[in-house]
Amino acid sequence: MQIAKTIAEMKALRMKSFGSVGFVPTMGYLHDGHLALVKQAQDENSVIIVSIFVNPTQFGPKEDFRTYPRDTERDLALLEKERTDIVFMPSDKEIYPEGYRSWVEVEKVTDRLEGSCRPGHFRGVATVVAKLFNIVEPTRAYFGQKDAQQALVIKKMVADLNMNLEVIVAATVRENDGLAMSSRNVYLNPQERQAATVLFKALTLAQNLWEKGESNAETIRQKMTSLISKEPLAKIEYVSIADAETLEELTEIDKPALASLAVRFGKTRLIDNTILE
Ligand code: AMP
């Protein structure tokens, strides 16, 4: 496994890579969700590149950029075990040197949900992912359904800007009790960790209601909200049933819908989702 810390090193290694390149961008503190993306990339490509970069521009001023969990040594050991070929781990200055001035804005699909709760978040995400794509030049890039809106934003950016790669979205990997794996789960104390199981319960409720024939989006939203509200440690930011492509809130579920939520447990903000189709 080779490690590139500068853009020049990364490009030099890319020049020597033959065949298709599968790329998995991450912010590190890897878990089985990330590793599932690496495994899928491994199955579908000849060369595997993983980036580890906690992107400062996608965090708001009051968000957890400084405290975001980091453990490079452990990450590298896990990636080595998965037979990753190249790890790109640039510094903040390498990606955003003095005088950096260019940004990628994806409109509309970024207005709602995470976009409205975290102003500027997707501008940071789209910009860093565009830069990583230009540096790594992957054949295929892998993202998790866990961050459903992010996956839509990246797909839109790739289509609109004619980027020459395929975006692949892989299923959410969960703990045994249903909690979606996330680097941020490490922030939860034992009580909050237990309380956080309500997210998957609410999504399962939505799925069950939908499968039993409930197609009124507001009824499903209300039942999810009422279930989560019974958990004293949970503070809801949003519960949404939206068009799975445009993310516009639905009245009636008459097309594939994304049931998604953002909930705080103490200082930790968690998101999760499921598709109703
Ligand atoms: P992050 O390091 O949180 O930025 O995540 C890097 C990539 O891993 C993103 O495409 C995420 O959507 C994906 N990811 C994070 N958690 C999971 C999970 N539990 N299951 C599948 N993919 C995930």
Side-chain angles (χ1 to χ4, degrees), residues 168-208:
I168 290 159
V169 182
T172 301
V173 177
R174 299 178 178 284
E175 303 284 358
N176 287 334
D177 61 6
L179 180 67
M181 289 193 182
S182 162
S183 306
R184 289 190 169 98
N185 291 349
V186 69
Y187 296 147
L188 300 167
N189 69 31
Q191 292 73 32
E192 291 164 347
R193 171 65 186 79
Q194 179 52 39
T197 57
V198 77
L199 298 189
F200 184 63
K201 287 178 192 148
L203 294 172
T204 307
L205 173 65
Q207 199 61 255
N208 288 341

Side-chain angles (χ1 to χ4, degrees), residues 5-43:
K5 291 196 172 170
T6 65
I7 294 167
E9 284 165 6
M10 181 60 238
K11 286 188 169 177
L13 289 172
R14 176 65 181 92
M15 290 261 285
K16 290 188 265 170
S17 306
F18 293 102
S20 61
V21 171
F23 176 47
V24 183
T26 81
M27 299 205 299
Y29 211 73
L30 303 179
H31 51 65
D32 285 349
H34 298 115
L35 298 180
L37 298 180
V38 176
K39 286 190 176 91
Q40 187 175 345
Q42 187 73 256
D43 289 343

Side-chain angles (χ1 to χ4, degrees), residues 23 44 129 133 139-144 150-159 163-170:
F23 176 47
E44 298 172 358
V129 172
F133 286 174
T139 316
R140 300 184 184 89
Y142 295 80
F143 293 85
Q150 169 173 279
L152 286 175
V153 171
I154 300 301
K155 278 188 168 176
K156 189 78 184 111
M157 173 184 80
V158 166
M163 292 178 167
N164 199 15
L165 72 139
E166 191 182 345
V167 174
I168 290 159
V169 182

Side-chain angles (χ1 to χ4, degrees), residues 114-159:
E114 290 304 283
S116 63
C117 294
R118 305 182 67 189
H121 170 66
F122 286 120
R123 179 189 195 243
V125 169
T127 301
V128 80
V129 172
K131 284 172 68 74
L132 290 168
F133 286 174
N134 283 337
I135 295 163
V136 170
E137 297 187 59
T139 316
R140 300 184 184 89
Y142 295 80
F143 293 85
Q145 177 61 25
K146 157 82 175 17
D147 299 280
Q149 189 174 13
Q150 169 173 279
L152 286 175
V153 171
I154 300 301
K155 278 188 168 176
K156 189 78 184 111
M157 173 184 80
V158 166

